[in-house]
Amino acid sequence: MMKNKDKMNGFTVINKREIKDCKGVMYEMVHDKTGAKLVYLDRNEINKTFAITFKTEPQDDTGVFHILEHSVLNGSDKFPVKEPFVELLKGSMQTFLNAITFDDKTMFPVSSRNDKDFMNLVNVYLDGVLHPAIYRNPNIFYQEGWHYEIRDTKEEPVYKGVVLNEMKGAFSSVDELMVSELKKMLFPDNGYKYCSGGEPAHITDLSYEQFLNTHRKYYHPSNAQIFLDGKMDLDAVLALIDSYFSGYEKENAGKAIEMQRAVPACKHTIAYEVTEEGELKNRTQICMAKTVSSYDQIEKNTAWQVLSSVLVSNNESPLKKAVLDKGLGESVELELYDGIQQPWAVLTVRNTDEDKYDEVMAAIKETAASLVENGLDHDQLAASLNQMEFHYSEKHEPSGLMYGKSVYDAWLYGGDPESYLNLSSVFESLRKKIDEGYFEELLKEFLLSDDLQTLAAVPSTAKAQEREKAEQDKLANAKKSWGSETDQYVELNQKLDEWQQTPDTQEQLSSLPKLTLEDVSKDPFPLPFSEAEVKGVPVILHPSQDNGIVYMTYYFSLAGITREYLPTVGFYSSLLGLLPTENMTVAMLQQEVRRDLGGISFFVDAYSPRNVHDSCIPVIGVNCSVLKKNLNKAVPLILEIMQKTVFDKDKIRTLLKQDNEDFRQGLIGNGQGAAIRRVSAHSSAEGVFREYVGGYASGLYEKDLEEHYDEKIDAFLNECEMYTEVLFSKNRMTASITGEENLSAVEEMIAGVHDVDGMRAKVHYPLLEDKKEFIQIPAGISYSAEGGNITDSGMSYEIGMQVMSHILTYQYLWNEVRVKGGSYGTGFAVSQNGNCTAYSYRDPDVKHTMLAYQNAGKSLQEIAGSEDDMTDMIIGTIAGGEPLMSPSMQMSAADIMYFRGVTEDIRKQGRRDLLAMNNEKLGSYCEALTKTMDSAAVCVVGNDDALEKCRDEGFKTLEKI
């Protein structure tokens, strides 16, 4: 065991201590030659985590640190392949592999359960961040950052680049616009006023030279902080790190971020995009924001999370209720932006009008003043604190990464890395302060201060045209300035195309450290469960948890509910727990849940047995987590919600408006999800179910219900009454619980639900028929999905198709859609019912992308015929199927296996089949894939530009939501 002042491979231990809440020992070390800092959290955890992080305070809005985060993993001195990051995704047993740009730091984390793989990942990442290929290959900058795309001197240029398109997508969200503007208002004296991800209008101001100079300045060991977690060969890991760091001399570490002084109160107004005049009313967002603490005020930052849940967590919470009751907005949210040097809070009133600004401010301040004077609900504070401590004590994944982020929350600024890892004493302290006016003082410091910054985000139908015109003017001026040198930019694109289309040589690929199939377990990660029966109800039994937490899920069959009524089921399920019951107000209900349980949540889902796509098992379910000592309190609360919810018209109207706004924003920010659901509904019953309970069809139903509320609400209420009486019956029920000793809870549930006749049967739903559909959104970017069911081609689903999916995602589509097309994300998925779906995310050219989808089968044929070694792809596929899972996630995964009829023997045979995959087997899928994509359905969620490009493709434009 190491102790203080011990030396190991260039590092010296400067502090050692036990971290009880993490069940581990923390070692703080410093690299003797460069001054680099390192924290190792020695826990009994098989998954090993490494992260190297650089302090990167932005100096402008060009997003240079974001572009660097993408670029340094595109080849390095030791590993001269085009994209080591992608090669690792293809063939590593990684459990986490990514890079993250924060407001003031850039983090490069990896993790793996496999010792050899972990060392490989650390090696590649260290060489990437310290010795990247960006200095000898400007194409990396042009691809990942931005470039002028022009292939003929007579053409007009356009902007292309992966980060540019990512941020165009991000800035299509009104929330991103508001956060960006608020940071400018709150932090005029330091780098927090800039967007570290990059504002689209300014990303194109960044030069290649500035990009390189920024790397030289910041990516140095003296500016690095390394975090390690889990059981590992520490001697070998430190030796590897030292082999990189020892080539550097010590420099001054990155300068401290200037603390922001208090700034005078100010009000700003910004515009955000909407598409139609009818969207202008009641669509203004009003924000109030202020810095509320500093990184080292651990207790205060924890208290803020509690305060937020009490003030706005439901429509009966005091601040939200004050706004809703006066008709001044549709929702109220309160967030703490922490993980930075000076955390700040923002209260947002959603969907109001600009001319109501004074009324909104008055209502908020009057309510806050009353709460400060008369006191907050102390029982609610205590309950919220209980629930927060419950979730703090649970295991979440990826735990190593989450611990690492918590360490940096103080360590980056010179604070104690333990600060946010040992919060047990903080919870105890805050309990004592509930009755001392502590939380009331926090509220007073925020909303009743005289330096509150306020912002109104106002909808504008002209904003999109203004944004587009500004970009076109900037492009035109750029081309005009080139004069006779335009051909240089054409040549730049030709060189970029050539580089992107030239595959790595075998010699280059051989430079990367690899695993072999012998390094991979011959058996899948265990998901043990057994089957039992209690009073005629099937029960899925899972192992007991050693943390004293019991997890339970109750599933109720939705057999008998036809497709047209599925949207009502989806909306019905979303209301459970958010409405009062016969015996409790919403506040009382949530107080009991927070005080006594980890949580209760209702959901709807469907599961198809393997190789069955024309039917599925649809369910409405409820999840619950509870400490064993409180087990007797769980079922009564679940039954109270299930059987005695009061479906109040006025309260439902408010929740409906909030739900519709969430769906609209989801379309803009994550449109690929809606596109995937829509496409899947053309080829499987499971896809139909998910589309109608949570996709576009569901969104359209709820939009129509809001618009015709008075005439249609009674019919919905009748449906709710029927669902409550019929669905929650023991004859429809399947139970799932951890610990056989906890079956008394299942017995109590069976005794409490109805005994109405029902069935646990597979259901057939009619598939959608229109093959090409377009959903229009106000955004700077688009999304798409295309797919069908491979069983329609005459071939059954096989586990080897997961290797096909992995290859198409990280080899073919990555190169065609992301690298060449500039889309931020893309992928291909195949499900056990045979559904095959390709998709794109934040895509600048969906027409190019759809062509790539159509050529998937041809590409797969070429790959299968190349006789390239498939080891990497097999290993990557296995890794993708064994993600890190918390206990509740493992339980859910096992439940899905049960419903799909997947036994442990089937899983083990699947592992053997994967390990035996070869090019011949891959080639056998090509014809079926080609047929599937030839007859595939396609859905685009896109902007006006994408719609114009798709007009000649026969798309049906769906009603806007």
Side-chain angles (χ1 to χ4, degrees):
M1 296 291 291
M2 292 186 296
K3 57 184 182 298
N4 286 350
K5 298 183 181 180
D6 278 358
K7 292 184 178 294
M8 181 184 288
N9 293 319
F11 286 86
T12 299
V13 178
I14 59 173
N15 198 359
K16 173 189 174 182
R17 53 195 144 153
E18 182 182 0
I19 310 295
K20 290 185 179 179
D21 287 4
C22 300
K23 297 182 176 64
V25 176
M26 176 186 286
Y27 296 90
E28 290 179 70
M29 306 182 191
V30 64
H31 188 247
D32 300 327
K33 187 174 182 185
T34 65
K37 299 174 183 177
L38 183 145
V39 162
Y40 170 45
L41 190 56
D42 184 2
R43 297 189 298 134
N44 186 26
E45 170 59 57
I46 189 174
N47 188 62
K48 293 155 278 289
T49 300
F50 161 90
I52 182 168
T53 299
F54 301 95
K55 183 185 288 186
T56 51
E57 180 186 4
Q59 304 300 308
D60 54 40
D61 286 313
T62 62
V64 61
F65 292 120
H66 188 185
I67 298 171
L68 277 169
E69 174 233 300
H70 279 242
S71 300
V72 297
L73 297 177
N74 279 263
S76 63
D77 290 355
K78 191 184 293 186
F79 309 112
V81 298
K82 285 197 296 184
E83 295 184 292
F85 175 75
V86 182
E87 296 301 324
L88 292 173
L89 285 171
K90 288 179 184 177
S92 162
M93 285 299 292
Q94 55 81 23
T95 50
F96 191 89
L97 184 78
N98 214 328
I100 310 166
T101 303
F102 295 91
D103 284 349
D104 53 14
K105 58 184 173 286
T106 309
M107 185 179 184
F108 296 89
V110 295
S111 68
S112 178
R113 302 183 185 101
N114 185 291
D115 291 323
K116 179 180 176 182
D117 189 48
F118 178 69
M119 294 299 291
N120 291 347
L121 294 171
V122 174
N123 196 2
V124 174
Y125 261 51
L126 282 169
D127 204 60
V129 297
L130 295 175
H131 308 140
I134 58 176
Y135 290 98
R136 60 179 181 273
N137 186 0
N139 288 314
I140 297 170
F141 170 73
Y142 300 139
Q143 173 181 288
E144 299 298 322
W146 75 277
H147 66 276
Y148 296 105
E149 182 166 280
I150 181 170
R151 288 179 168 77
D152 188 294
T153 56
K154 296 177 183 178
E155 291 180 352
E156 294 304 315
V158 296
Y159 291 124
K160 263 295 184 58
V162 172
V163 168
L164 176 63
N165 289 324
E166 177 187 353
M167 297 313 295
K168 279 186 175 182
F171 272 80
S172 296
S173 162
V174 64
D175 286 355
E176 189 77 25
L177 290 168
M178 291 190 299
V179 167
S180 180
E181 185 66 21
L182 286 169
K183 290 197 299 182
K184 288 176 171 60
M185 299 167 69
L186 291 166
F187 299 103
D189 298 334
N190 60 35
Y192 289 125
K193 66 175 172 285
Y194 298 116
C195 176
S196 60
E199 291 191 1
H202 296 291
I203 288 173
T204 52
D205 296 332
L206 181 66
S207 71
Y208 177 54
E209 290 72 24
Q210 290 172 304
F211 169 75
L212 295 181
N213 287 334
T214 303
H215 182 272
R216 291 188 185 99
K217 180 176 179 181
Y218 290 90
Y219 280 60
H220 188 283
S222 297
N223 189 41
Q225 291 173 279
I226 289 178
F227 174 77
L228 301 171
D229 174 75
K231 287 298 179 186
M232 63 182 68
D233 184 345
L234 184 63
D235 185 70
V237 174
L238 294 182
L240 178 59
I241 297 171
D242 180 60
S243 72
Y244 280 96
F245 285 8
S246 61
Y248 292 82
E249 299 299 326
K250 188 172 184 177
E251 293 186 359
N252 290 329
K255 68 180 181 69
I257 300 171
E258 182 178 348
M259 292 294 287
Q260 178 60 54
R261 59 180 173 78
V263 292
C266 187
K267 179 195 173 187
H268 286 190
T269 301
I270 59 172
Y272 74 95
E273 294 178 27
V274 293
T275 56
E276 296 178 349
E277 290 291 332
E279 298 175 321
L280 298 177
K281 185 173 176 55
N282 295 330
R283 294 292 296 278
T284 292
Q285 323 296 321
I286 295 176
C287 301
M288 291 139 261
K290 184 188 178 210
T291 54
V292 294
S293 64
S294 60
Y295 73 89
D296 52 353
Q297 294 179 289
I298 294 90
E299 188 173 84
K300 192 173 188 180
N301 292 326
T302 306
W304 254 100
Q305 305 289 348
V306 176
L307 183 64
S308 174
S309 68
V310 170
L311 292 174
V312 300
S313 63
N314 63 72
N315 290 346
E316 300 299 315
S317 299
L319 278 182
K320 186 178 282 190
K321 181 174 169 54
V323 171
L324 298 180
D325 286 354
K326 293 176 185 288
L328 296 175
E330 293 181 358
S331 187
V332 181
E333 298 167 7
L334 178 58
E335 278 193 79
L336 179 71
Y337 283 84
D338 55 1
I340 60 175
Q341 186 164 269
Q342 290 172 275
W344 56 284
V346 55
L347 183 81
T348 305
V349 176
R350 299 280 186 186
N351 290 356
T352 182
D353 284 313
E354 188 178 8
D355 59 10
K356 293 179 181 176
Y357 172 83
D358 289 337
E359 290 180 83
V360 168
M361 292 300 296
I364 292 294
K365 287 187 173 288
E366 287 170 10
T367 306
S370 175
L371 291 170
V372 170
E373 181 179 354
N374 299 314
L376 294 159
D377 187 326
H378 289 189
D379 289 336
Q380 289 281 4
L381 288 170
S384 182
L385 197 56
N386 274 9
Q387 188 174 60
M388 189 174 176
E389 186 174 21
F390 180 99
H391 291 305
Y392 172 75
S393 66
E394 280 187 291
K395 182 175 182 180
H396 303 279
E397 293 292 0
S399 60
L401 175 65
M402 296 169 76
Y403 283 141
K405 290 173 71 174
S406 294
V407 163
Y408 288 118
D409 284 350
W411 192 33
L412 191 81
Y413 317 107
D416 187 343
E418 179 189 345
S419 297
Y420 290 93
L421 295 181
N422 259 340
L423 296 182
S424 295
S425 60
V426 173
F427 293 121
E428 286 304 311
S429 175
L430 287 175
R431 280 193 181 87
K432 296 175 182 176
K433 291 189 174 184
I434 288 175
D435 294 326
E436 297 173 2
Y438 180 75
F439 289 91
E440 286 81 1
E441 190 60 31
L442 289 184
L443 179 59
K444 180 180 178 181
E445 288 177 6
F446 176 43
L447 288 178
L448 301 183
S449 64
D450 56 7
D451 58 351
L452 200 61
Q453 307 298 306
T454 57
L455 173 69
V458 181
S460 168
T461 55
K463 181 69 175 175
Q465 290 81 5
E466 292 170 0
R467 171 182 52 77
E468 183 64 24
K469 184 178 184 304
E471 183 171 294
Q472 292 304 317
D473 288 347
K474 189 174 182 179
L475 284 164
N477 290 333
K479 187 179 181 185
K480 184 178 179 181
S481 71
W482 301 340
S484 60
E485 298 178 352
T486 303
D487 56 350
Q488 293 183 10
Y489 292 90
V490 175
E491 184 180 353
L492 181 151
N493 278 270
Q494 292 170 343
K495 290 180 178 178
L496 178 59
D497 290 343
E498 181 181 358
W499 173 68
Q500 290 176 336
Q501 294 168 12
T502 302
D504 291 315
T505 66
Q506 192 57 48
E507 181 182 2
Q508 288 170 324
L509 290 172
S510 297
S511 68
L512 282 170
K514 300 286 184 71
L515 296 178
T516 69
L517 294 181
E518 295 302 314
D519 297 316
V520 179
S521 171
K522 301 300 181 287
D523 291 317
F525 188 82
L527 289 170
F529 69 90
S530 60
E531 297 179 35
E533 186 176 289
V534 175
K535 297 183 178 179
V537 172
V539 179
I540 313 167
L541 273 174
H542 304 271
S544 301
Q545 297 298 308
D546 58 11
N547 59 2
I549 295 176
V550 178
Y551 296 97
M552 63 181 90
T553 305
Y554 299 99
Y555 302 89
F556 297 88
S557 170
L558 289 173
I561 308 297
T562 59
R563 188 181 81 172
E564 65 180 305
Y565 288 101
L566 290 179
T568 65
V569 175
F571 186 43
Y572 167 80
S573 69
S574 74
L575 296 173
L576 297 174
L578 300 179
L579 291 170
T581 67
E582 294 174 9
N583 301 309
M584 297 183 184
T585 64
V586 174
M588 292 167 59
L589 184 64
Q590 292 206 354
Q591 179 179 314
E592 290 209 20
V593 171
R594 288 172 177 163
R595 185 189 64 210
D596 298 329
L597 311 181
I600 294 176
S601 62
F602 287 80
F603 65 93
V604 285
D605 207 348
Y607 315 106
S608 294
R610 295 172 74 246
N611 265 317
V612 174
H613 73 281
D614 61 351
S615 65
C616 62
I617 301 168
V619 298
I620 182 170
V622 55
N623 290 315
C624 179
S625 56
V626 58
L627 288 174
K628 195 165 186 173
K629 66 179 182 180
N630 290 332
L631 185 60
N632 64 319
K633 300 177 181 179
V635 171
L637 278 172
I638 294 174
L639 292 171
E640 179 75 20
I641 298 170
M642 278 184 174
Q643 299 175 343
K644 298 182 179 180
T645 291
V646 176
F647 292 91
D648 179 276
K649 288 184 181 181
D650 291 337
K651 289 179 170 59
I652 291 174
R653 187 198 296 263
T654 300
L655 290 166
L656 177 64
K657 289 180 178 181
Q658 294 167 354
D659 215 27
N660 282 337
E661 180 60 22
D662 287 344
F663 190 84
R664 280 192 293 268
Q665 294 305 318
L667 273 180
I668 294 170
N670 293 285
Q672 82 287 352
I676 290 169
R677 283 176 184 256
R678 193 72 184 173
V679 163
S680 298
H682 288 79
S683 54
S684 74
E686 185 178 301
V688 171
F689 181 87
R690 293 200 173 117
E691 163 66 9
Y692 275 79
V693 299
Y696 168 82
S698 170
L700 192 64
Y701 165 78
E702 292 190 28
K703 173 178 179 280
D704 180 69
L705 181 58
E706 181 183 345
E707 292 174 347
H708 305 93
Y709 193 77
D710 292 334
E711 60 190 88
K712 294 191 174 184
I713 184 58
D714 287 337
F716 173 72
L717 293 181
N718 288 337
E719 291 297 315
C720 291
E721 183 178 347
M722 186 270 288
Y723 296 149
T724 299
E725 290 298 320
V726 172
L727 295 182
F728 300 119
S729 164
K730 76 172 187 178
N731 299 305
R732 291 177 175 269
M733 178 176 158
T734 300
S736 174
I737 195 165
T738 55
E740 186 174 4
E741 70 277 12
N742 300 317
L743 282 174
S744 59
V746 175
E747 294 176 358
E748 185 180 6
M749 189 72 178
I750 293 171
V753 297
H754 301 303
D755 194 12
V756 178
D757 285 344
M759 50 188 169
R760 305 178 189 93
K762 295 192 290 290
V763 178
H764 300 258
Y765 297 112
L767 305 180
L768 298 186
E769 296 180 354
D770 291 313
K771 289 285 189 175
K772 292 186 174 183
E773 298 178 317
F774 194 103
I775 301 171
Q776 195 171 1
I777 56 172
I781 213 73
S782 300
Y783 311 84
S784 71
E786 185 166 340
N789 199 287
I790 204 163
T791 61
D792 291 334
S793 70
M795 174 171 274
S796 297
Y797 167 82
E798 297 178 3
I799 189 70
M801 290 177 182
Q802 296 300 334
V803 179
M804 173 186 77
S805 173
H806 195 71
I807 288 172
L808 290 173
T809 295
Y810 293 112
Q811 189 160 326
Y812 172 63
L813 289 175
W814 184 280
N815 192 49
E816 289 296 320
V817 178
R818 190 183 190 279
V819 173
K820 296 179 183 178
S823 176
Y824 177 53
T826 185
F828 189 93
V830 57
S831 64
Q832 294 187 41
N833 64 20
N835 264 12
C836 295
T837 311
Y839 63 90
S840 69
Y841 175 66
R842 293 183 179 173
D843 189 344
D845 191 350
V846 291
K847 198 165 184 180
H848 165 86
T849 298
M850 288 187 289
L851 181 61
Y853 297 157
Q854 287 298 305
N855 289 326
K858 178 182 177 182
S859 172
L860 189 70
Q861 185 72 61
E862 293 172 355
I863 294 167
S866 68
E867 298 186 0
D868 288 344
D869 182 56
M870 290 186 61
T871 299
D872 284 358
M873 291 299 183
I874 294 170
I875 292 172
T877 301
I878 290 172
E882 294 190 344
L884 296 171
M885 290 189 286
S886 65
S888 62
M889 292 168 64
Q890 290 183 39
M891 175 179 171
S892 177
D895 287 354
I896 293 172
M897 286 168 50
Y898 168 84
F899 283 113
R900 295 201 191 284
V902 178
T903 65
E904 196 64 23
D905 286 342
I906 290 174
R907 293 183 72 222
K908 288 180 178 180
Q909 181 60 51
R911 174 58 59 89
R912 289 192 289 270
D913 291 344
L914 284 176
L915 292 172
M917 266 296 290
N918 53 41
N919 293 74
E920 181 181 357
K921 172 58 75 172
L922 184 67
S924 71
Y925 303 146
C926 297
E927 183 179 353
L929 177 63
T930 299
K931 288 181 180 179
T932 302
M933 299 311 287
D934 282 347
S935 60
V938 58
C939 179
V940 173
V941 178
N943 55 22
D944 293 341
D945 180 59
L947 179 60
E948 189 62 35
K949 289 180 179 178
C950 290
R951 285 196 188 281
D952 60 346
E953 299 289 332
F955 276 82
K956 177 182 178 180
T957 303
L958 302 180
E959 182 180 335
K960 291 180 183 177
I961 292 183

